[in-house]
Amino acid sequence: MLQTLLFSSVIVTVYHFLGFKIIAIPFLPVASIGTAVAFYVGFKNNQAYDRLWEARRLWGGITNTSRILTASFISLIDDKEKQKAFINRHIAYINILRLQLRKTIPWATNKENYHQQIVSDSEEINEFEISIKELFEKLDKSEIFEKVKNKGNIASYTLKAQFDVVTKLKRDKLIDDYEHSDLTKLLGELYNLQGGCERIKTTPLFRQYSLFSRIFVKLFIFLLPFALLTEMSKFGEYRIWLVIPFSVLISWVFMTMEQIGEASENPFDGGSTDTPISTICRNIEIDILEMLDETNLPPKIEPFNDVLL
């Protein structure tokens, strides 16, 4: 906005004091451009919002599927040790998925970042591999870390281990074919939900939306002071200075509209406007541990700077 303030001040000075009246242009063409830009930016923002909302729906699906899976497993298997091991693996899975989605990717870091980056948890501050190791140590599964640390998709490999457990239970005659089928369907649904999250993470919003919306907004902001000269001069000699505040105000509105989409298009980057997957994972963990009648539950994640992570 400082650039707009300085630029519009120069335009008014040149027009009013130096007498270069020729720099004024009709307001109608610029207003038409502004209307077209508003529609274009609005369309881009709708696309970005769709990505954000789909990310939240996918994690809502992970939450519901986790509850159903846990309740089903506990009702079918009476062995407390098996129940606890299965649930701990699931807690590991959702947190590994969270950490994988929070990893930065090249196309997301090469462009301007308009949203506030928020990280407070040490698992997100550390390198990804260190965070995974800390997670397995927390769950007393350090030996599993050595098996999975070199895998390309650790979350998928961890979920595969759950399939192996369920299949072994069937072979040991602890569950029948129908129960095995129901459990594997729930695990398969987790794969589908994970794939949806990975699709959003690895597929950028079409670059033409981001690139051209920024170009159009900057073009409109550039032309705006020239168009306001004619309009403001109609109200008297000194009203011409109103070009400066109105240019700044209108430019701020359009730049904010353009930046909203930029802040929403990558919902797993740990920003203040992103899907709060750390909070969702903790809520899932608390819910399924309560189903085990555990009393030593982790605390809920509190907002950090009034933002849920």
Side-chain angles (χ1 to χ4, degrees):
M1 293 303 101
L2 180 59
Q3 291 178 343
T4 303
L5 176 63
L6 295 175
F7 181 68
S8 58
S9 299
V10 171
I11 296 301
V12 172
T13 301
V14 171
Y15 179 86
H16 183 65
F17 290 105
L18 300 183
F20 283 88
K21 306 297 183 181
I22 194 172
I23 65 174
I25 60 177
F27 182 75
L28 183 60
V30 179
S32 300
I33 293 174
T35 301
V37 170
F39 276 110
Y40 191 90
V41 173
F43 178 75
K44 186 198 79 168
N45 288 354
N46 282 338
Q47 299 300 308
Y49 177 78
D50 285 344
R51 290 165 62 87
L52 182 65
W53 179 240
E54 185 183 3
R56 186 61 188 88
R57 289 178 62 245
L58 288 167
W59 272 92
I62 291 173
T63 300
N64 293 335
T65 305
S66 298
R67 291 168 178 164
I68 298 170
L69 177 64
T70 300
S72 299
F73 192 86
I74 291 174
S75 65
L76 294 173
I77 304 299
D78 294 328
D79 190 320
K80 288 290 183 181
E81 290 301 319
K82 286 184 171 61
Q83 291 176 359
K84 188 173 182 179
F86 187 86
I87 289 174
N88 279 341
R89 274 190 299 271
H90 185 72
I91 293 172
Y93 163 72
I94 58 174
N95 281 283
I96 291 169
L97 179 58
R98 166 178 63 86
L99 291 169
Q100 285 187 178
L101 293 174
R102 286 269 169 86
K103 290 173 69 176
T104 56
I105 49 181
W107 59 260
T109 55
N110 287 338
K111 63 189 189 67
E112 293 178 90
N113 184 14
Y114 292 113
H115 70 312
Q116 183 183 7
Q117 197 75 15
I118 303 289
V119 284
S120 68
D121 189 88
S122 63
E123 291 175 346
E124 276 122 30
I125 296 173
N126 292 336
E127 293 293 335
F128 174 70
E129 291 77 10
I130 298 175
S131 302
I132 295 294
K133 183 177 181 180
E134 289 178 353
L135 176 62
F136 279 109
E137 288 175 350
K138 178 183 175 182
L139 297 171
D140 296 325
K141 299 290 183 182
S142 299
E143 71 283 357
I144 299 180
F145 172 73
E146 297 301 323
K147 298 179 181 178
V148 304
K149 65 180 181 179
N150 294 322
K151 300 296 180 182
N153 192 321
I154 301 177
S156 292
Y157 190 82
T158 304
L159 190 56
K160 173 187 173 295
Q162 296 288 67
F163 275 94
D164 296 338
V165 169
V166 170
T167 300
K168 188 175 185 304
L169 292 173
K170 175 191 171 187
R171 290 171 180 168
D172 293 342
K173 307 298 182 182
L174 294 177
I175 57 175
D176 60 31
D177 291 343
Y178 294 105
E179 293 165 345
H180 174 264
S181 176
D182 289 340
L183 290 174
T184 54
K185 284 179 181 177
L186 291 171
L187 293 172
E189 179 62 18
L190 289 173
Y191 267 132
N192 289 332
L193 294 167
Q194 176 184 336
C197 292
E198 291 170 342
R199 170 173 47 81
I200 294 174
K201 178 67 177 180
T202 58
T203 305
L205 185 68
F206 296 132
R207 289 301 92 196
Q208 57 266 37
Y209 292 156
S210 179
L211 175 63
F212 285 107
S213 69
R214 195 175 301 123
I215 292 174
F216 293 159
V217 167
K218 289 183 177 180
L219 175 63
F220 172 71
I221 292 173
F222 174 79
L223 293 175
L224 184 60
F226 296 99
L228 289 176
L229 289 173
T230 303
E231 295 299 314
M232 294 302 145
S233 62
K234 296 177 181 178
F235 298 102
E237 181 181 0
Y238 294 102
R239 297 291 180 88
I240 193 68
W241 293 103
L242 290 176
V243 169
I244 299 173
F246 276 105
S247 294
V248 172
L249 178 61
I250 297 171
S251 299
W252 175 77
V253 170
F254 273 80
M255 283 301 299
T256 301
M257 289 170 54
E258 204 277 330
Q259 291 169 11
I260 286 173
E262 297 290 337
S264 305
E265 66 176 85
N266 300 320
F268 299 127
D269 283 355
S272 59
T273 60
D274 291 346
T275 303
I277 54 181
S278 293
T279 301
I280 295 172
C281 284
R282 181 60 58 84
N283 291 340
I284 294 173
E285 182 176 353
I286 293 172
D287 284 350
I288 63 181
L289 286 176
E290 283 182 338
M291 293 182 188
L292 262 183
D293 296 324
E294 293 283 337
T295 56
N296 186 23
L297 301 175
K300 286 183 175 291
I301 294 179
E302 298 296 329
F304 177 75
N305 290 342
D306 297 323
V307 176
L308 279 176
L309 301 179

